[in-house]
Amino acid sequence: ASSSRGAGQDDMFGLPTTAGSGAGQALMEQEPEFGEAERLRLEKETLGLYFSGHPIEIYRGLLEQICSGNLKALIATARGTVMLGGWVVDIRRFGRRMLLTLDDRTAQLTCILGEDFLANRVPPRKDTLLFVQGRITPDEFTGGWKVFPNELYDLEQVQARFARRVLLEFAGGAEPMER
């Protein structure tokens, strides 16, 4: 840096690389880093994809507690009614039906919602976590897999319905309480 300064070189914006009073002192303050969820949201907004991770990883512990398995494992067995969770990566409407693409980083599958199923429900949104209780079957049309839901849960609904305990932690060294 001192040889660059001696040669009259500055940073790419024409500013000196260090403050004049102290060697190595930065001119600009560092902004605090974004939280993981906010960083991923901004990556998706800016780049159109998640670059440094995937938002479903934030909920991995919850998925392991509530779901029958990850999508790859559930597709491999494809038996009976299962509880699965996935990130809604795509929504398509075909007439009165809605097709959701769910992804949990192990696999993707399509969730088919008919008109009757959507009648009294708020439709799911893209880029959210969705839990589906239903039956997985092969999709002969696409060669992939699909799930026919019996029930859908968003994050708040699944926490309210399947929460087994609440852990309260208090600042100041108090012991955690379990209810």
Side-chain angles (χ1 to χ4, degrees):
S2 62
S3 64
S4 296
R5 191 176 38 201
Q9 289 183 334
D10 297 327
D11 75 351
M12 65 186 263
F13 300 108
L15 300 171
T17 56
T18 58
S21 60
Q25 181 182 5
L27 281 177
M28 296 188 290
E29 292 182 26
Q30 287 286 352
E31 289 291 325
E33 283 201 31
F34 293 112
E36 185 175 3
E38 180 68 3
R39 184 187 74 243
L40 291 169
R41 185 189 68 75
L42 291 170
E43 286 176 3
K44 176 77 179 220
E45 184 179 303
T46 305
L47 303 172
L49 55 94
Y50 300 111
F51 183 71
S52 64
H54 195 284
I56 201 162
E57 294 304 328
I58 298 168
Y59 305 103
R60 186 62 59 197
L62 181 65
L63 289 163
E64 289 172 357
Q65 290 176 17
I66 293 175
C67 297
S68 307
N70 64 44
L71 293 182
K72 185 176 181 179
L74 293 174
I75 288 169
T77 56
R79 291 188 202 119
T81 300
V82 297
M83 178 66 137
L84 59 91
W87 197 255
V88 181
V89 295
D90 190 34
I91 297 178
R92 295 178 188 216
R93 287 192 177 269
F94 291 99
R96 297 179 177 161
R97 294 184 342 167
M98 182 181 281
L99 303 179
L100 311 174
T101 303
L102 302 177
D103 181 356
D104 77 346
R105 295 192 88 183
T106 65
Q108 288 188 349
L109 60 80
T110 301
C111 179
I112 301 173
L113 306 176
E115 178 183 12
D116 295 340
F117 194 84
L118 290 167
N120 298 318
R121 291 184 168 88
V122 175
R125 295 183 331 246
K126 191 174 176 184
D127 294 324
T128 59
L129 183 62
L130 185 68
F131 292 86
V132 180
Q133 190 171 25
R135 183 176 44 86
I136 297 177
T137 63
D139 186 346
E140 287 82 21
F141 182 71
T142 65
W145 293 86
K146 59 188 173 188
V147 59
F148 290 101
N150 299 329
E151 222 27 83
L152 291 180
Y153 305 99
D154 64 17
L155 181 59
E156 288 180 13
Q157 292 168 331
V158 83
Q159 288 173 328
R161 178 165 178 148
F162 296 100
R164 293 190 180 108
R165 63 187 175 127
V166 175
L167 182 65
L168 303 173
E169 293 188 53
F170 299 97
E175 291 294 316
M177 288 177 39
E178 195 171 313
R179 293 209 141 169

